[in-house]
Amino acid sequence: MPVAFGRKTFALHDCPAAACGIGLTRHSGNCIDAFGVHLHSRFSPIDDTSETIERKSVNIGTNRSNFRTIREARMDLNDAFYFVQVVEKGGFSAASRALQIPKSRLSRRVRQLEEHLGVRLLQRTSRVVTTTDIGEEFYRQTQTAITGFEAAETAVRRKTNRIEGVVTVSCSVGMAQFALDRIIPRFLQDNPKVDVVQRASNRMEDLVKDGIDVAIRGHMDTLPDSSLIQVKLAKLEWHLFCSPRYLENLPSSDEPSCLTNHPALVLGRPAEAHQWLLADVNGQSASVPCHVRLASDDMTTLKRAAISSLGIAALPSYVCLPEVDAGTLVRVLPSWTAGCPQISLLMPSRQGLLPAFEAFIDCLKRELPPVFAGKQ
């Protein structure tokens, strides 16, 4: 039988007092029964999370036991945290992977929370987990409370100047290969107590569901309003590149139409009728139809294909700087660009970022723009 004293809970093991229903009190760090007899070896600490207090009294005169139980059950905040993770990650399996704890434990803890509250928070099917109406309200309130705890932790770490922890960053494969490959190692050298998890992928990821602290995204249009914090870093020009040998076969013209139906080396999945969308410094635009000779998610492959005179590649300007300097690639239509996306940092809108996150974000804001401008 668990018995709680303040924040510490004890278990009775074959205790005669328990069999008689004698009330227990705590005195000077030891346990005594109602008759003042010290009970040492009969008690051992168990789960601190239990907050149920049972008090039983004995009518000594009649030797009749009158049981009076007072239950003071308090919610386990860990259960609330697990519930929030299940909602944000979109299910028990994803939350289990993110937290690295068994799915069965998560399910048990959420069920324990529901039993404590006396309501169903989640609707469970074989494929989908969704919040009930009252579960959605509980989620919003609990998320606010967790944000407050995170802000409190951040305040303490700032006071102690402790820059440590794990930062998870999401970016495209090209960004990982040609920009962050130099920035992240320098950051880790400057911050020996910080670990970085880099997720390089050309697909859009859900920052909250996938447990990502910061994402680096390129976008042509304004990002839709969301709960994410958006920090603009820089504009990034894309240019057309080919080999010097391929350039010899092009007309000596600065008109985009001269590239019509030339073989294109395209990043990502091409459109059915692919076109280069070009713009000049005066704001004029042009659409040039082309034949997709190679489509790839890997910029290195596209660069090598261009060097091999297989066609014209549209790539970020900084990605091809080494080859341009070496003379293996040249720019096509120098007065025109093949896009100028905005590069932004996206972060979940949580108050009080930890110092490790702030240090990493400051590093990106400081070092990425010079890389894009070809100054590093």
Side-chain angles (χ1 to χ4, degrees):
M1 179 187 72
V3 180
F5 300 103
R7 295 179 60 85
K8 180 63 70 176
T9 307
F10 295 87
L12 268 62
H13 304 298
D14 302 323
C15 178
C20 297
I22 297 175
L24 301 176
T25 60
R26 188 173 183 175
H27 177 68
S28 300
N30 296 319
C31 295
I32 62 174
D33 65 12
F35 300 103
V37 179
H38 285 265
L39 305 172
H40 297 283
S41 60
R42 296 292 185 182
F43 298 87
S44 59
I46 60 172
D47 186 5
D48 285 352
T49 61
S50 174
E51 290 290 345
T52 300
I53 301 176
E54 294 192 2
R55 298 173 185 159
K56 298 180 181 180
S57 62
V58 178
N59 189 325
I60 302 298
T62 62
N63 200 29
R64 292 165 54 192
S65 298
N66 297 323
F67 293 88
R68 177 171 55 89
T69 302
I70 302 174
R71 295 191 177 272
E72 299 177 6
R74 296 181 182 176
M75 183 177 68
D76 189 330
L77 294 181
N78 288 316
D79 294 347
F81 172 77
Y82 292 141
F83 166 74
V84 168
Q85 294 302 304
V86 170
V87 174
E88 291 188 342
K89 301 299 185 292
F92 286 95
S93 297
S96 172
R97 290 191 297 269
L99 297 173
Q100 297 183 343
I101 63 176
K103 178 181 173 182
S104 59
R105 183 190 301 176
L106 271 180
S107 180
R108 184 175 66 252
R109 297 301 290 266
V110 172
R111 188 166 57 251
Q112 177 177 301
L113 176 64
E114 290 177 321
E115 290 173 356
H116 170 80
L117 295 173
V119 296
R120 181 176 292 277
L121 300 174
L122 297 174
Q123 294 286 5
R124 302 166 177 84
T125 67
S126 58
R127 295 184 178 181
V128 180
V129 176
T130 59
T131 55
T132 62
D133 289 343
I134 196 167
E136 181 64 25
E137 175 64 23
F138 183 78
Y139 164 72
R140 289 196 297 267
Q141 297 287 347
T142 304
Q143 186 186 46
T144 300
I146 291 174
T147 299
F149 286 128
E150 291 174 345
E153 180 185 8
T154 299
V156 171
R157 291 189 183 276
R158 281 175 178 159
K159 290 289 186 182
T160 57
N161 258 343
R162 289 163 56 189
I163 300 180
E164 57 186 29
V166 180
V167 179
T168 302
V169 56
S170 169
C171 64
S172 68
V173 175
M175 187 71 67
Q177 290 176 331
F178 299 106
L180 297 182
D181 63 324
R182 289 164 283 178
I183 292 174
I184 290 180
R186 287 199 296 265
F187 173 79
L188 293 175
Q189 288 175 338
D190 294 339
N191 299 275
K193 293 187 177 181
V194 178
D195 300 325
V196 172
V197 177
Q198 182 186 55
R199 296 184 184 174
S201 172
N202 290 336
R203 68 179 182 86
M204 297 295 287
E205 295 185 283
D206 187 315
L207 272 63
V208 175
K209 184 179 293 186
D210 296 331
I212 295 168
D213 299 312
V214 58
I216 306 170
R217 295 280 187 264
H219 51 98
M220 294 297 294
D221 301 318
T222 302
L223 289 171
D225 291 337
S226 69
S227 60
L228 300 178
I229 299 172
Q230 302 177 16
V231 179
K232 294 182 179 179
L233 283 183
K235 289 280 191 177
L236 176 58
E237 288 190 355
W238 285 50
H239 298 159
L240 297 178
F241 297 96
C242 70
S243 70
R245 182 158 61 95
Y246 191 93
L247 185 66
E248 293 175 359
N249 299 322
L250 294 177
S252 57
S253 170
D254 199 36
E255 288 298 320
S257 59
C258 72
L259 302 182
T260 300
N261 293 326
H262 272 265
L265 312 173
V266 177
L267 182 68
R269 182 177 298 180
E272 188 172 338
H274 201 79
Q275 295 180 326
W276 282 308
L277 303 178
L278 308 179
D280 69 2
V281 292
N282 298 318
Q284 292 182 315
S285 60
S287 298
V288 182
C290 53
H291 165 65
V292 178
R293 183 78 191 280
L294 172 65
S296 173
D297 289 330
D298 179 44
M299 291 185 182
T300 299
T301 299
L302 297 176
K303 284 202 299 181
R304 289 175 179 169
I307 292 171
S308 300
S309 300
L310 294 176
I312 300 171
L315 291 169
S317 57
Y318 78 96
V319 168
C320 296
L321 275 177
E323 290 75 19
V324 171
D325 290 341
T328 55
L329 284 179
V330 293
R331 186 176 172 186
V332 182
L333 301 182
S335 59
W336 293 79
T337 62
C340 191
Q342 172 71 53
I343 305 299
S344 298
L345 298 180
L346 302 181
M347 296 163 284
S349 57
R350 295 285 183 86
Q351 297 177 1
L353 292 175
L354 290 176
F357 301 157
E358 290 186 333
F360 186 68
I361 291 165
D362 288 343
C363 174
L364 295 179
K365 290 163 65 176
R366 182 177 63 252
E367 298 203 27
L368 273 177
V371 171
F372 297 153
K375 298 178 181 178
Q376 286 192 15

